[in-house]
Amino acid sequence: MSRQTITTDVVIIGAGIAGLWLHNRLNQMGFHALLLENKTIGNAQTLSSQGIIHGGTKYALNGILSKATQAIGSMPARWQACLDGKGDVDLTHVKVLADHQLMWSKQQLSSKMVSFFASKALSSRMQTVAKADRPELFRYPEFKGALYQLDEPVLDIASVLKNLAQPWHGRIIHTPESTEIMWQQNNEGVQAIQLNGIEIKAQQFVLTAGEGNGELLETLKFTKPTMQLRPLQMVLCKAKNTPQALPAIYAHSLGSGSKPIATITSHFGEDGNTIWYIGGNIAEQGVGKNFHKITTDAKDLLNDILPWFDFPELEWATHAVNRAEPKQSALSRPDTAFVESKNNVHIAWPTKLALAPDLADQIIKQLQKQNLQKNTHRMTVNLPPATISKPLWDKAFQ
Ligand SMILES: Cc1cc2nc3c(=O)[nH]c(=O)nc-3n(C[C@H](O)[C@H](O)[C@H](O)COP(=O)(O)OP(=O)(O)OC[C@H]3O[C@@H](n4cnc5c(N)ncnc54)[C@H](O)[C@@H]3O)c2cc1C
C-alpha cells in the first residue's frame, strides 16, 4: 500500500473535554496540534456529564476540607474567566444553564455541619438562601429544611464542545473506529503513528482517550499507568406532556451521609421539554439493575427528597457509562487531574470535566520540559473532520 505522510508538532488522541481543551490551547499558542477522534467529538464521558463546574463543596460533606476540595477550588473562577472572554480559551458563546447550584436537606442540618459550612474555608463558596430568594420548588410551606447556594456554575456541554472545536476544526480528524493505531517507536519514544496507510509524524503524543486509553496503553505495550473504570447508571426523566414540564433545577440533595443522595441537573430537549438528569448515589447503586428496578427506585427517591412536590406523569430513560480514571486503591475517586509521561508519550485523565484547564496546564508544562518546537506544517492529505456528537437529551428517550 502506498504510504502518505503528514507531520505535526503534537498528536492528541481522543476528543473529549481533555483533548479539546489541550488542542485549543496548543494551537492558540502557535504549535501545530492534530486531534484524532474515532467516534464523534464528546460522545463518551464528556457529553454524559452533568456539566457542573465543581468548586469542591460536594467533597466536603463529611466535614473535612479534603485534597479534592482544595485542588478543584479555583476551577469555577478559571472557567468563569473563559466564559467572560478573559481566560486561556474562549468560551464566550457557551450557554450557561445556571450560575449557581443549590444544595438542600429535607431536615435542618446538624449544628456541626452548619458551623462547618459557615467556616472561613467554605463560606466564600456557599451561602444560605434567604426565604424570599428561594426558587419556586423550595417555597412550599412543607419544606422546612436547609437550602444553600453554591458558587459553581452548570454549563451546557454541547455548547462548550462547539466553542472549543470551532476555531481549529480543520485539525480535528475523524479516524475510523475499526482502524488500529500502529506505533512506530524505539527506546527514545514514539516517532510516528500509522492509520490506514497514513503516517503521522510528531514530536509529542498525548493520550486523552478516556476509557480508550486502556487499549492504547496495550498497543504501546506500556504496563503503567493503569486505568480504573467506575460504572454508573444515570437516570433521566421528563414530563409526558411538555406543557407540564418539570421546573429546571440544579441541586444536590443531602442526606446524613458524606455524599449527596442525588444530584439533579436540568437540560432541554429539541421539543423544549425539561429533562432531569439524576446522578449521585442512585447512579452508583443502579449499576446492574434492570430498567424497571432503577426507575422504580428513582421514583421513590424523588418522592422522598421532594415530598411536597406534585410530580406530573413522567417518562423515564437510563444511561449507563463508565468513568475512566487512573487506578486508585479500592476504586476510590481520584482527587486531581492526572498525567504521566513516558518519553514523548503523555497519558492523561482529567478525572473531572471541571479539571480540564488544570490538566492542560500540566501537559503543556511536560511538553515544554521536553523542548516542544513550533514548526510549520501543511496538511498535504485530505483527512475527514470529526463531527460533534448529539447531546444525550436528544437520544436517551428514543
Ligand atoms: C455520568 C457522569 C457525570 C459526570 N458529571 C460531571 C460533572 O458534572 N462535572 C465534572 O467536573 N465532571 C463530571 N464527570 C466527569 C467528566 O465527565 C470526565 O472526567 C471527563 O468528561 C473526561 O473527559 P475525557 O476527555 O478524559 O474523556 P471522554 O469524554 O471519555 O473522551 C474520550 C474520547 O476519546 C475517544 N477515543 C477513545 N479511544 C480512541 C481512539 N483509539 N482513537 C481516537 N479517539 C478515541 C472517545 O470516542 C472519546 O470521544 C462526569 C462523568 C460521568 C460519567
Side-chain angles (χ1 to χ4, degrees), residues 13-20 36-54 59 72 175 179 181 208-213 215-216 230 232 234 277 319 321-324 348-355 359:
I13 305 178
I17 191 71
L20 277 170
L36 310 183
E37 169 55 52
N38 70 0
K39 286 190 184 139
T40 45
I41 298 171
N43 78 87
Q45 293 167 90
T46 298
L47 275 173
S48 299
S49 85
Q50 293 193 278
I52 301 168
I53 306 305
H54 295 292
Y59 310 111
I72 209 169
T175 53
T179 311
I181 294 179
T208 52
E211 189 168 346
N213 275 356
E215 202 177 310
L216 292 171
R230 278 194 298 129
L232 294 170
M234 303 290 282
Y277 188 39
H319 175 62
V321 58
N322 289 326
R323 288 187 82 138
W349 289 280
T351 77
K352 287 174 195 74
L353 177 101
L355 284 166
L359 180 71

Side-chain angles (χ1 to χ4, degrees), residues 90-321:
D90 180 1
L91 297 182
T92 47
H93 293 101
V94 164
K95 194 165 144 198
V96 178
L97 294 173
D99 289 324
H100 298 97
Q101 282 184 84
L102 297 172
M103 192 180 260
W104 91 94
S105 145
K106 243 180 15 175
Q107 271 92 39
Q108 288 295 334
L109 293 173
S110 69
S111 54
K112 185 177 157 224
M113 277 318 266
V114 172
S115 359
F116 179 59
F117 286 173
S119 67
K120 209 170 158 200
L122 283 186
S123 62
S124 60
R125 304 179 188 182
M126 60 192 296
Q127 299 85 37
T128 42
V129 182
K131 272 199 170 149
D133 299 331
R134 286 179 179 174
E136 193 71 28
L137 191 61
F138 298 100
R139 286 197 176 200
Y140 289 71
E142 294 90 334
F143 172 56
K144 296 195 168 32
L147 186 66
Y148 285 88
Q149 179 173 292
L150 312 187
D151 210 4
E152 302 178 350
V154 185
L155 306 181
D156 172 60
I157 296 305
S159 68
V160 172
L161 296 176
K162 216 166 150 187
N163 260 240
L164 287 173
Q166 195 261 334
W168 305 100
H169 203 182
R171 295 182 187 178
I172 307 179
I173 311 299
H174 179 248
T175 53
E177 214 182 332
S178 55
T179 311
E180 199 187 322
I181 294 179
M182 315 255 277
W183 303 92
Q184 198 179 303
Q185 60 177 324
N186 60 21
N187 288 343
E188 279 159 27
V190 170
Q191 291 78 48
I193 57 172
Q194 281 165 31
L195 291 163
N196 262 0
I198 298 174
E199 180 184 57
I200 308 178
K201 286 186 174 168
Q203 301 168 55
Q204 301 285 330
F205 296 82
V206 184
L207 313 189
T208 52
E211 189 168 346
N213 275 356
E215 202 177 310
L216 292 171
L217 286 165
E218 271 176 35
T219 56
L220 275 159
K221 303 204 167 29
F222 287 0
T223 50
K224 275 189 189 159
T226 40
M227 177 176 76
Q228 71 179 26
L229 297 178
R230 278 194 298 129
L232 294 170
Q233 183 153 211
M234 303 290 282
V235 179
L236 300 93
C237 65
K238 62 178 181 181
K240 270 209 168 131
N241 303 310
T242 306
Q244 294 168 337
L246 290 165
I249 62 164
Y250 303 88
H252 303 287
S253 162
L254 292 191
S256 52
S258 62
K259 283 186 190 168
I261 311 174
T263 296
I264 304 174
T265 49
S266 303
H267 308 268
F268 303 95
E270 283 164 328
D271 60 357
N273 202 347
T274 312
I275 293 146
W276 277 13
Y277 188 39
I278 311 171
N281 278 357
I282 179 104
E284 286 179 21
Q285 290 160 8
V287 175
K289 287 183 185 167
N290 65 31
F291 181 81
H292 178 73
K293 174 69 180 138
I294 189 169
T295 53
T296 307
D297 287 354
K299 265 178 229 168
D300 292 345
L301 173 77
L302 290 184
N303 287 325
D304 182 48
I305 59 180
L306 293 164
W308 52 85
F309 184 64
D310 190 13
F311 281 93
E313 207 182 336
L314 296 174
E315 201 176 318
W316 296 87
T318 60
H319 175 62
V321 58

